[in-house]
Amino acid sequence: MCFSATASFSASAVLIVCGAVSLKSSHQPKQRYLASIPIIFAAQQLIEGLLWTGLNNQYTILSEVCMYTFLTIAQVVWPFWMVLSFLKMEENILRKKILRVCFYAGCGASCILGYRLLFLP
């Protein structure tokens, strides 16, 4: 949410419920990728709330762990997960080929950003 711990924790609570309902409503395994998006985002919002809490009090090791975990979800997980979730659901051959190219681009972006998180200050 980017403006308070309370907003991030509230969003996380709402998203975890939405994610649980989405997962329960998914009847095919290929639907679970798309249905799990609210759960991943709920985790990201929870981590952001913890980060806000840590930054408001004092900079601690918890703040640093939360920061890197948040950035890992934002920069490593999302670039490939979003496309993967649509790729799994798509049945049209042409669109599936286009999505596969986008998926590989997302994987490439995830690898580059993951490398930068690990090895560059």
Side-chain angles (χ1 to χ4, degrees):
M1 294 280 104
C2 295
F3 55 88
S4 78
T6 306
S8 293
F9 289 136
S10 299
S12 179
V14 170
L15 286 163
I16 198 76
V17 171
C18 292
V21 170
S22 294
L23 281 173
K24 187 166 174 53
S25 300
S26 64
H27 300 292
Q28 299 172 359
K30 66 181 183 180
Q31 295 174 335
R32 292 197 179 110
Y33 292 93
L34 188 62
S36 66
I37 288 173
I39 302 249
I40 298 169
F41 192 50
Q44 186 177 6
Q45 288 302 300
L46 176 65
I47 292 163
E48 184 180 3
L50 293 172
L51 181 58
W52 273 108
T53 303
L55 292 176
N56 286 339
N57 295 330
Q58 60 184 349
Y59 189 77
T60 63
I61 191 71
L62 175 64
S63 299
E64 192 164 333
V65 169
C66 288
M67 176 184 66
Y68 282 110
T69 306
F70 179 87
L71 288 172
T72 299
I73 294 171
Q75 294 183 350
V76 178
V77 175
W78 288 131
F80 78 87
W81 192 267
M82 292 302 291
V83 183
L84 178 65
S85 64
F86 290 110
L87 179 62
K88 291 291 186 178
M89 296 286 294
E90 187 56 60
E91 294 178 0
N92 180 287
I93 301 297
L94 177 61
R95 286 187 291 214
K96 200 167 187 107
K97 287 180 182 179
I98 294 168
L99 283 170
R100 195 168 284 122
V101 170
C102 294
F103 173 71
Y104 292 133
C107 287
S110 292
C111 289
I112 291 167
L113 292 169
Y115 174 83
R116 291 177 61 95
L117 277 173
L118 283 174
F119 299 110
L120 300 177

